[in-house]
Amino acid sequence: MQQEMLVDKAVPRPPTRPGLRLALLAFTQLIVALDYNIVYVALPDITDALSFTATSVQWVVSAYAVGLGGLLLFGGRAVDKLGPRHMFMLGLTLYGAASLAGGLAPDGGVLIAARAVQGVGGALLTPATLALIYRGFAEGPERNRALGAWGMAGSAGLAAGSLLGGVLTNYLGWEWVFFVNVPLALGAALAALRLLAADPPRVTGLGGFDLPGALLATAGSVLLVFALASGPEHGWGSLRGAGALIAGVVLLALLLVVESRTRDPLVPLHLLRNRGLATTMTVIAVFQGTLGGGYYVLTSYLQPVLGYSALEAGLTFLPLTLVCMGAALKVAPAMLGRWGVRATLSIGMLGAGAGIAVLVAGMTAGGGLWTLLPGSVVWGLFGGVAFVALFASAGAGVSPAEQGVASGLASTAKEIGGAMGLAVFVAVATANLTATAPGILAAPGILAGLRTAGWAAAALTVVGGLIALALKPAPAEASPRPEAEPTPTETVTS
């Protein structure tokens, strides 16, 4: 720890323009978050254009989440070893190149591969952005404001992705949900050259990369999601179903064995015994899984069932978008200051579950914007609160020397949980469809399956709210001065 403190003091900080630096880092986080949801309203068009099936099209979303979640921990380690500015630039380069390849994809396989590489770029960008915030902004109110802006950009990106995807798909075609990232990534990279200070000289003595751990974590996660995605289409008793599921579990179990014997592990196992972090990882996986499932259900209802265009579907997301952003900006900080992380997170999850349930109740054959509006408002309000509370909870009770690893674990749980949740809810929604269905648009009886998946997502979100009650209450959380010195209660890590 002493060595790490010396290294941190030696890191030069950019001398000027902190506002512009923060804007760049927040904008980059918005790009990463935006790309998770931007493809949802384009899925029916992508299904028709590239001959996906009703179940396999989920890989357009899941491949990105697996690439991102599977390599987040390794990306964090690369930031420590090679420098945040280097990884920031490399991540943007991968992101932009993969986006271009996705828009030009001639078939589904190329598109899925491009989405996975996009995820790898995001796995470098996310920890690099956080490291640049920690190193560039002094601890206390300055850093708190910077982290708040970063979290808000992520919330805005998740909420606005569907709206932007609808506009682009309607006017320019599905390819532009990928092409739009190219100028965004290029602009961010050019700004980084001017705004971000050069990395310090490489530091020795911090240990090597845990390559076996990174490979096992990525392969195990990929196999688990592949099994969930392939099971409904090819049968759970097939090699693609049960075989991939068993292999994924075995690899993840082997990961725990390897990490327990590694001098500098990718996943420090003692952090997994931290009740607060373990609880947050569980809740954030539930939140992202039901978020992805809920977006899939709503998009599939609007377009295949109601016959909305991509633009009309995107505009229907507008109330949800605006309410979510407003809640994350104004409501969540007030609730955190008044009631603390545990109560705020639990209320946010319970309310989000109720919002999904109200939304599903309005999904009828003759429904539309006005029947969906109450659920959209409730879901957006409490979902925005829960999103901010989850990031506040991820670092609570963890020592400063392990904040980066803890945030990597929480982010990994979020992304892999999202991919697995989407696979499960797609399986529920399409359970009564034939494996050879040419796509969602041609699937008979899809409304009943979508409603079933929606009810399941609502129930699971409520369960996540109850799990959040396992967090330890910290009296100091309710203080209106978050910059105050932590009490002994707050520093307990197990």
Side-chain angles (χ1 to χ4, degrees), residues 93-168:
T93 301
L94 287 175
Y95 209 84
S99 297
L100 180 62
L104 297 173
D107 55 56
V110 174
L111 179 57
I112 289 173
R115 288 286 285 168
V117 176
Q118 274 186 314
V120 175
L124 298 178
L125 279 174
T126 299
T129 302
L130 281 171
L132 288 165
I133 288 176
Y134 282 126
R135 297 182 184 191
F137 296 89
E139 185 175 0
E142 182 183 353
R143 183 179 295 176
N144 291 339
R145 287 192 294 269
L147 288 173
W150 178 86
M152 272 301 307
S155 178
L158 286 172
S162 295
L163 176 60
L164 180 59
V167 172
L168 292 172

Side-chain angles (χ1 to χ4, degrees), residues 297-350:
V297 166
L298 182 54
T299 300
S300 298
Y301 169 69
L302 291 172
Q303 292 177 271
V305 176
L306 298 185
Y308 280 19
S309 67
L311 176 60
E312 290 171 329
L315 290 174
T316 305
F317 276 89
L318 186 59
L320 174 63
T321 299
L322 296 178
V323 173
C324 183
M325 292 174 64
L329 179 64
K330 296 293 185 181
V331 181
M335 292 179 65
L336 286 168
R338 183 175 180 85
W339 293 317
V341 170
R342 184 176 74 160
T344 301
L345 180 55
S346 182
I347 292 171
M349 291 293 291
L350 293 173

Side-chain angles (χ1 to χ4, degrees), residues 6 11 72 78 99 116 129 142 150 180 221 309 315 392 403 447:
L6 292 174
V11 175
L72 268 169
S99 297
T129 302
E142 182 183 353
W150 178 86
V180 69
S221 300
S309 67
L315 290 174
Q403 287 285 339
L447 179 57

Side-chain angles (χ1 to χ4, degrees), residues 33-35 37-41 156-166 295 321:
L34 185 76
D35 209 55
N37 280 347
I38 197 172
V39 301
Y40 274 98
V41 295
L158 286 172
S162 295
L163 176 60
L164 180 59
Y295 269 57
T321 299

Side-chain angles (χ1 to χ4, degrees), residues 358-369:
V358 174
L359 192 73
V360 174
M363 289 173 46
T364 63
L369 173 63

